[in-house]
């Protein structure tokens, strides 16, 4: 079983739609959960981070963590064509440290 | 806005040759990283570097790889004898601090735009 699983998509939605992106993981030691956005030919850019379980909202973005199910989500409200990118979930264990584990990324297309 | 700068953006080399990928991290950052992304695959951790030494490395980072901070601004990744399977996008990243325990998330990674390495 992969440590972090993420559906690669692609996911295509019309402008204004609510987008739901998800990851599952197997390592119960993960405590820090992040979402990165990656545009074509660019490095990942941190969007959201959450510690342990719960929700976090930032503008049109909401991150959710359900540690009991080992499942994390990113919701994008009122999606825009500029949101078209690859979204990577990422995790760090509760021991902290230097190594971030990434999911494979989901490609999102928002059509105008 | 400060950013991580990587050069070159694209490097083509012959199998068996040595390559050096260069990075200029954000100036007040203390932790430096190399990640790579093979086409169509996930971003993978290679190595982290702090206080002039490797702090953690993955199983990918074997004896063919080395990192160096030759001066106060540059951070380099050297591959001594490239293989076809080294072809990937290599990302440099830096952070001001790292995540400890207890909920404080400090490891905000800032990535460069990457160097696409093609080994022929």
């Amino acid at each position: 079983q992969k440590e972090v699983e993420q559906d690669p998509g692609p996911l295509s939605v019309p402008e204004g739609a609510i987008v739901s992106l998800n990851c599952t993981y197997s390592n119960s030691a993960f405590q820090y959960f992040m979402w990165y956005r990656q545009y074509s030919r660019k490095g990942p850019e941190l969007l959201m981070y959450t510690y342990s379980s719960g929700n976090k909202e930032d503008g049109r973005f909401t991150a959710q963590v359900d540690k009991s199910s080992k499942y994390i989500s990113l919701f994008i409200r009122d999606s825009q064509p500029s949101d078209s990118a690859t979204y990577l979930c990422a995790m760090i264990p509760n021991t902290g440290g230097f190594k971030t584990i990434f999911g494979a990324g989901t490609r999102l297309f928002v059509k105008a | 806005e400060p950013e991580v700068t990587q050069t070159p953006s694209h490097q083509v080399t012959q199998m068996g040759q040595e390559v050096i990928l260069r990075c200029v991290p954000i100036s007040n950052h203390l932790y430096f990283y190399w990640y790579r992304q093979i086409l169509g695959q996930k971003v993978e951790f290679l190595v982290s570097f702090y206080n002039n030494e490797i702090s953690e490395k993955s199983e990918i980072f074997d004896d063919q790889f080395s990192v160096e901070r030759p001066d106060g601004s540059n951070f380099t990744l050297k591959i001594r004898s490239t293989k076809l399977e080294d072809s990937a996008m290599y990302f440099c990243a830096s952070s001001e601090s790292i995540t400890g325990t207890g909920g404080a998330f400090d490891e905000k990674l800032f990535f460069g735009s990457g160097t696409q390495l093609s080994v022929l």
Side-chain angles (χ1 to χ4, degrees):
Chain A
Q1 184 181 12
K2 290 182 182 177
E3 218 170 3
V4 180
E5 303 229 30
Q6 185 176 11
D7 186 338
L11 179 62
S12 184
V13 301
E15 184 176 358
I18 296 174
V19 175
S20 172
L21 304 167
N22 312 291
C23 284
T24 59
Y25 62 95
S26 57
N27 187 350
S28 58
F30 287 137
Q31 284 278 20
Y32 302 88
F33 304 94
M34 292 78 73
W35 287 94
Y36 284 81
R37 178 174 61 195
Q38 186 177 22
Y39 291 114
S40 181
R41 303 180 190 277
K42 293 289 187 182
E45 170 194 15
L46 180 66
L47 264 182
M48 304 273 292
Y49 63 89
T50 314
Y51 172 69
S52 194
S53 285
N55 294 359
K56 187 171 184 178
E57 189 173 318
D58 184 1
R60 296 185 295 113
F61 299 90
T62 300
Q64 285 186 353
V65 175
D66 181 349
K67 292 198 74 213
S68 63
S69 302
K70 297 190 178 68
Y71 188 87
I72 71 170
S73 302
L74 178 71
F75 297 96
I76 307 174
R77 290 183 298 281
D78 187 25
S79 56
Q80 303 294 309
S82 59
D83 294 328
S84 298
T86 298
Y87 289 80
L88 314 172
C89 62
M91 305 175 191
I92 300 175
N94 56 0
T95 48
F98 302 95
K99 181 178 175 181
T100 299
I101 306 297
F102 285 87
T106 300
R107 290 198 70 188
L108 172 67
F109 295 97
V110 181
K111 299 171 291 184
Chain B
E1 184 175 317
E3 60 180 14
V4 176
T5 306
Q6 287 187 246
T7 54
S9 58
H10 197 175
Q11 174 89 49
V12 181
T13 189
Q14 296 291 325
M15 190 169 56
Q17 295 295 303
E18 174 183 289
V19 295
I20 297 176
L21 309 183
R22 303 180 190 279
C23 169
V24 179
I26 294 173
S27 61
N28 64 330
H29 285 186
L30 300 176
Y31 299 84
F32 314 113
Y33 313 80
W34 285 100
Y35 284 77
R36 79 172 186 188
Q37 186 174 30
I38 295 171
L39 185 63
Q41 298 186 25
K42 65 179 183 177
V43 175
E44 297 176 291
F45 171 82
L46 291 179
V47 67
S48 58
F49 191 86
Y50 169 70
N51 200 25
N52 281 320
E53 61 182 21
I54 290 173
S55 43
E56 190 167 353
K57 61 183 180 179
S58 72
E59 58 276 7
I60 302 168
F61 194 88
D62 61 22
D63 292 343
Q64 293 299 312
F65 292 87
S66 63
V67 289
E68 193 177 34
R69 188 155 163 82
D71 53 42
S73 60
N74 291 285
F75 180 51
T76 62
L77 174 69
K78 181 192 291 186
I79 309 175
R80 287 188 186 81
S81 178
T82 50
K83 303 187 283 285
L84 295 176
E85 54 265 37
D86 293 329
S87 295
M89 179 73 88
Y90 287 79
F91 292 108
C92 174
S94 67
S95 65
E96 195 170 353
S97 58
I98 64 162
T99 296
T101 57
F105 179 74
D106 299 314
E107 190 172 322
K108 297 175 186 175
L109 296 177
F110 290 80
F111 284 84
S113 292
T115 294
Q116 179 65 55
L117 176 65
S118 299
V119 182
L120 306 178

PDB file of all heavy atoms in Angstrom, chain B residues 82-103:
ATOM      1  N   THR B  82      25.831  10.237 -14.360  1.00  0.00           N
ATOM      2  CA  THR B  82      24.381  10.189 -14.579  1.00  0.00           C
ATOM      3  C   THR B  82      23.933   8.911 -15.275  1.00  0.00           C
ATOM      4  O   THR B  82      24.646   8.346 -16.121  1.00  0.00           O
ATOM      5  CB  THR B  82      23.939  11.391 -15.412  1.00  0.00           C
ATOM      6  OG1 THR B  82      24.773  11.499 -16.585  1.00  0.00           O
ATOM      7  CG2 THR B  82      24.033  12.679 -14.605  1.00  0.00           C
ATOM      8  N   LYS B  83      22.741   8.487 -14.902  1.00  0.00           N
ATOM      9  CA  LYS B  83      22.091   7.335 -15.517  1.00  0.00           C
ATOM     10  C   LYS B  83      20.808   7.803 -16.205  1.00  0.00           C
ATOM     11  O   LYS B  83      20.284   8.872 -15.897  1.00  0.00           O
ATOM     12  CB  LYS B  83      21.766   6.275 -14.458  1.00  0.00           C
ATOM     13  CG  LYS B  83      22.981   5.805 -13.667  1.00  0.00           C
ATOM     14  CD  LYS B  83      22.641   4.636 -12.756  1.00  0.00           C
ATOM     15  CE  LYS B  83      21.913   5.062 -11.519  1.00  0.00           C
ATOM     16  NZ  LYS B  83      22.806   5.706 -10.549  1.00  0.00           N
ATOM     17  N   LEU B  84      20.318   6.978 -17.104  1.00  0.00           N
ATOM     18  CA  LEU B  84      19.086   7.339 -17.810  1.00  0.00           C
ATOM     19  C   LEU B  84      17.951   7.626 -16.828  1.00  0.00           C
ATOM     20  O   LEU B  84      17.161   8.558 -17.029  1.00  0.00           O
ATOM     21  CB  LEU B  84      18.666   6.214 -18.765  1.00  0.00           C
ATOM     22  CG  LEU B  84      19.599   5.925 -19.923  1.00  0.00           C
ATOM     23  CD1 LEU B  84      19.096   4.718 -20.725  1.00  0.00           C
ATOM     24  CD2 LEU B  84      19.747   7.135 -20.841  1.00  0.00           C
ATOM     25  N   GLU B  85      17.895   6.839 -15.759  1.00  0.00           N
ATOM     26  CA  GLU B  85      16.805   6.989 -14.794  1.00  0.00           C
ATOM     27  C   GLU B  85      16.939   8.224 -13.910  1.00  0.00           C
ATOM     28  O   GLU B  85      16.057   8.507 -13.103  1.00  0.00           O
ATOM     29  CB  GLU B  85      16.667   5.728 -13.930  1.00  0.00           C
ATOM     30  CG  GLU B  85      17.932   5.289 -13.231  1.00  0.00           C
ATOM     31  CD  GLU B  85      18.708   4.227 -14.008  1.00  0.00           C
ATOM     32  OE1 GLU B  85      18.744   4.295 -15.260  1.00  0.00           O
ATOM     33  OE2 GLU B  85      19.284   3.349 -13.348  1.00  0.00           O
ATOM     34  N   ASP B  86      18.020   8.966 -14.059  1.00  0.00           N
ATOM     35  CA  ASP B  86      18.149  10.236 -13.346  1.00  0.00           C
ATOM     36  C   ASP B  86      17.394  11.361 -14.057  1.00  0.00           C
ATOM     37  O   ASP B  86      17.276  12.464 -13.512  1.00  0.00           O
ATOM     38  CB  ASP B  86      19.626  10.633 -13.209  1.00  0.00           C
ATOM     39  CG  ASP B  86      20.399   9.695 -12.303  1.00  0.00           C
ATOM     40  OD1 ASP B  86      19.806   9.143 -11.349  1.00  0.00           O
ATOM     41  OD2 ASP B  86      21.610   9.502 -12.563  1.00  0.00           O
ATOM     42  N   SER B  87      16.907  11.080 -15.241  1.00  0.00           N
ATOM     43  CA  SER B  87      16.137  12.098 -15.967  1.00  0.00           C
ATOM     44  C   SER B  87      14.889  12.447 -15.166  1.00  0.00           C
ATOM     45  O   SER B  87      14.068  11.578 -14.858  1.00  0.00           O
ATOM     46  CB  SER B  87      15.737  11.575 -17.349  1.00  0.00           C
ATOM     47  OG  SER B  87      16.874  11.368 -18.150  1.00  0.00           O
ATOM     48  N   ALA B  88      14.759  13.721 -14.828  1.00  0.00           N
ATOM     49  CA  ALA B  88      13.662  14.177 -13.972  1.00  0.00           C
ATOM     50  C   ALA B  88      13.741  15.688 -13.862  1.00  0.00           C
ATOM     51  O   ALA B  88      14.717  16.309 -14.283  1.00  0.00           O
ATOM     52  CB  ALA B  88      13.759  13.559 -12.583  1.00  0.00           C
ATOM     53  N   MET B  89      12.713  16.260 -13.259  1.00  0.00           N
ATOM     54  CA  MET B  89      12.751  17.664 -12.851  1.00  0.00           C
ATOM     55  C   MET B  89      13.279  17.692 -11.420  1.00  0.00           C
ATOM     56  O   MET B  89      12.741  16.998 -10.552  1.00  0.00           O
ATOM     57  CB  MET B  89      11.359  18.264 -12.929  1.00  0.00           C
ATOM     58  CG  MET B  89      11.293  19.717 -12.492  1.00  0.00           C
ATOM     59  SD  MET B  89      12.015  20.821 -13.713  1.00  0.00           S
ATOM     60  CE  MET B  89      10.582  21.120 -14.749  1.00  0.00           C
ATOM     61  N   TYR B  90      14.312  18.467 -11.193  1.00  0.00           N
ATOM     62  CA  TYR B  90      14.903  18.576  -9.872  1.00  0.00           C
ATOM     63  C   TYR B  90      14.537  19.931  -9.275  1.00  0.00           C
ATOM     64  O   TYR B  90      14.800  20.978  -9.859  1.00  0.00           O
ATOM     65  CB  TYR B  90      16.420  18.411  -9.945  1.00  0.00           C
ATOM     66  CG  TYR B  90      16.830  16.985 -10.209  1.00  0.00           C
ATOM     67  CD1 TYR B  90      16.782  16.453 -11.497  1.00  0.00           C
ATOM     68  CD2 TYR B  90      17.220  16.137  -9.175  1.00  0.00           C
ATOM     69  CE1 TYR B  90      17.122  15.131 -11.746  1.00  0.00           C
ATOM     70  CE2 TYR B  90      17.566  14.820  -9.415  1.00  0.00           C
ATOM     71  CZ  TYR B  90      17.509  14.326 -10.701  1.00  0.00           C
ATOM     72  OH  TYR B  90      17.826  13.010 -10.942  1.00  0.00           O
ATOM     73  N   PHE B  91      13.921  19.873  -8.109  1.00  0.00           N
ATOM     74  CA  PHE B  91      13.500  21.088  -7.431  1.00  0.00           C
ATOM     75  C   PHE B  91      14.367  21.331  -6.204  1.00  0.00           C
ATOM     76  O   PHE B  91      14.564  20.436  -5.387  1.00  0.00           O
ATOM     77  CB  PHE B  91      12.042  20.985  -6.974  1.00  0.00           C
ATOM     78  CG  PHE B  91      11.034  20.965  -8.078  1.00  0.00           C
ATOM     79  CD1 PHE B  91      10.356  19.799  -8.394  1.00  0.00           C
ATOM     80  CD2 PHE B  91      10.749  22.118  -8.794  1.00  0.00           C
ATOM     81  CE1 PHE B  91       9.418  19.771  -9.409  1.00  0.00           C
ATOM     82  CE2 PHE B  91       9.807  22.107  -9.816  1.00  0.00           C
ATOM     83  CZ  PHE B  91       9.143  20.928 -10.125  1.00  0.00           C
ATOM     84  N   CYS B  92      14.817  22.547  -6.085  1.00  0.00           N
ATOM     85  CA  CYS B  92      15.447  23.005  -4.867  1.00  0.00           C
ATOM     86  C   CYS B  92      14.369  23.688  -4.025  1.00  0.00           C
ATOM     87  O   CYS B  92      13.436  24.290  -4.566  1.00  0.00           O
ATOM     88  CB  CYS B  92      16.559  23.997  -5.218  1.00  0.00           C
ATOM     89  SG  CYS B  92      17.350  24.793  -3.823  1.00  0.00           S
ATOM     90  N   ALA B  93      14.473  23.558  -2.720  1.00  0.00           N
ATOM     91  CA  ALA B  93      13.547  24.238  -1.823  1.00  0.00           C
ATOM     92  C   ALA B  93      14.303  24.733  -0.606  1.00  0.00           C
ATOM     93  O   ALA B  93      15.380  24.223  -0.282  1.00  0.00           O
ATOM     94  CB  ALA B  93      12.407  23.302  -1.404  1.00  0.00           C
ATOM     95  N   SER B  94      13.728  25.720   0.049  1.00  0.00           N
ATOM     96  CA  SER B  94      14.313  26.179   1.294  1.00  0.00           C
ATOM     97  C   SER B  94      13.197  26.521   2.271  1.00  0.00           C
ATOM     98  O   SER B  94      12.043  26.741   1.873  1.00  0.00           O
ATOM     99  CB  SER B  94      15.235  27.390   1.068  1.00  0.00           C
ATOM    100  OG  SER B  94      14.515  28.533   0.651  1.00  0.00           O
ATOM    101  N   SER B  95      13.537  26.524   3.543  1.00  0.00           N
ATOM    102  CA  SER B  95      12.582  26.917   4.571  1.00  0.00           C
ATOM    103  C   SER B  95      13.319  27.655   5.675  1.00  0.00           C
ATOM    104  O   SER B  95      14.516  27.455   5.895  1.00  0.00           O
ATOM    105  CB  SER B  95      11.829  25.700   5.137  1.00  0.00           C
ATOM    106  OG  SER B  95      12.695  24.821   5.815  1.00  0.00           O
ATOM    107  N   GLU B  96      12.566  28.490   6.356  1.00  0.00           N
ATOM    108  CA  GLU B  96      13.156  29.297   7.416  1.00  0.00           C
ATOM    109  C   GLU B  96      13.443  28.446   8.641  1.00  0.00           C
ATOM    110  O   GLU B  96      14.427  28.641   9.344  1.00  0.00           O
ATOM    111  CB  GLU B  96      12.182  30.433   7.775  1.00  0.00           C
ATOM    112  CG  GLU B  96      12.791  31.541   8.584  1.00  0.00           C
ATOM    113  CD  GLU B  96      11.840  32.721   8.685  1.00  0.00           C
ATOM    114  OE1 GLU B  96      10.783  32.715   8.018  1.00  0.00           O
ATOM    115  OE2 GLU B  96      12.158  33.645   9.446  1.00  0.00           O
ATOM    116  N   SER B  97      12.554  27.483   8.904  1.00  0.00           N
ATOM    117  CA  SER B  97      12.740  26.573  10.017  1.00  0.00           C
ATOM    118  C   SER B  97      12.099  25.256   9.633  1.00  0.00           C
ATOM    119  O   SER B  97      11.664  25.076   8.499  1.00  0.00           O
ATOM    120  CB  SER B  97      12.119  27.143  11.291  1.00  0.00           C
ATOM    121  OG  SER B  97      10.748  27.385  11.090  1.00  0.00           O
ATOM    122  N   ILE B  98      12.043  24.330  10.566  1.00  0.00           N
ATOM    123  CA  ILE B  98      11.420  23.044  10.265  1.00  0.00           C
ATOM    124  C   ILE B  98      10.329  22.769  11.275  1.00  0.00           C
ATOM    125  O   ILE B  98      10.251  23.393  12.322  1.00  0.00           O
ATOM    126  CB  ILE B  98      12.429  21.879  10.259  1.00  0.00           C
ATOM    127  CG1 ILE B  98      13.043  21.678  11.651  1.00  0.00           C
ATOM    128  CG2 ILE B  98      13.499  22.109   9.219  1.00  0.00           C
ATOM    129  CD1 ILE B  98      13.690  20.325  11.822  1.00  0.00           C
ATOM    130  N   THR B  99       9.512  21.817  10.926  1.00  0.00           N
ATOM    131  CA  THR B  99       8.412  21.434  11.792  1.00  0.00           C
ATOM    132  C   THR B  99       8.929  20.629  12.957  1.00  0.00           C
ATOM    133  O   THR B  99       9.610  19.633  12.775  1.00  0.00           O
ATOM    134  CB  THR B  99       7.394  20.612  10.978  1.00  0.00           C
ATOM    135  OG1 THR B  99       6.855  21.452   9.966  1.00  0.00           O
ATOM    136  CG2 THR B  99       6.291  20.084  11.853  1.00  0.00           C
ATOM    137  N   GLY B 100       8.581  21.077  14.124  1.00  0.00           N
ATOM    138  CA  GLY B 100       8.934  20.295  15.298  1.00  0.00           C
ATOM    139  C   GLY B 100       7.750  19.472  15.732  1.00  0.00           C
ATOM    140  O   GLY B 100       6.923  19.080  14.921  1.00  0.00           O
ATOM    141  N   THR B 101       7.597  19.248  16.961  1.00  0.00           N
ATOM    142  CA  THR B 101       6.451  18.501  17.462  1.00  0.00           C
ATOM    143  C   THR B 101       5.481  19.472  18.121  1.00  0.00           C
ATOM    144  O   THR B 101       5.821  20.612  18.411  1.00  0.00           O
ATOM    145  CB  THR B 101       6.896  17.445  18.487  1.00  0.00           C
ATOM    146  OG1 THR B 101       7.592  18.115  19.538  1.00  0.00           O
ATOM    147  CG2 THR B 101       7.838  16.443  17.843  1.00  0.00           C
ATOM    148  N   GLY B 102       4.258  19.012  18.331  1.00  0.00           N
ATOM    149  CA  GLY B 102       3.325  19.808  19.102  1.00  0.00           C
ATOM    150  C   GLY B 102       2.471  20.775  18.325  1.00  0.00           C
ATOM    151  O   GLY B 102       1.818  21.630  18.904  1.00  0.00           O
ATOM    152  N   GLY B 103       2.437  20.651  16.996  1.00  0.00           N
ATOM    153  CA  GLY B 103       1.455  21.429  16.259  1.00  0.00           C
ATOM    154  C   GLY B 103       1.958  22.658  15.559  1.00  0.00           C
ATOM    155  O   GLY B 103       1.256  23.219  14.737  1.00  0.00           O
TER     156      GLY B 103
END
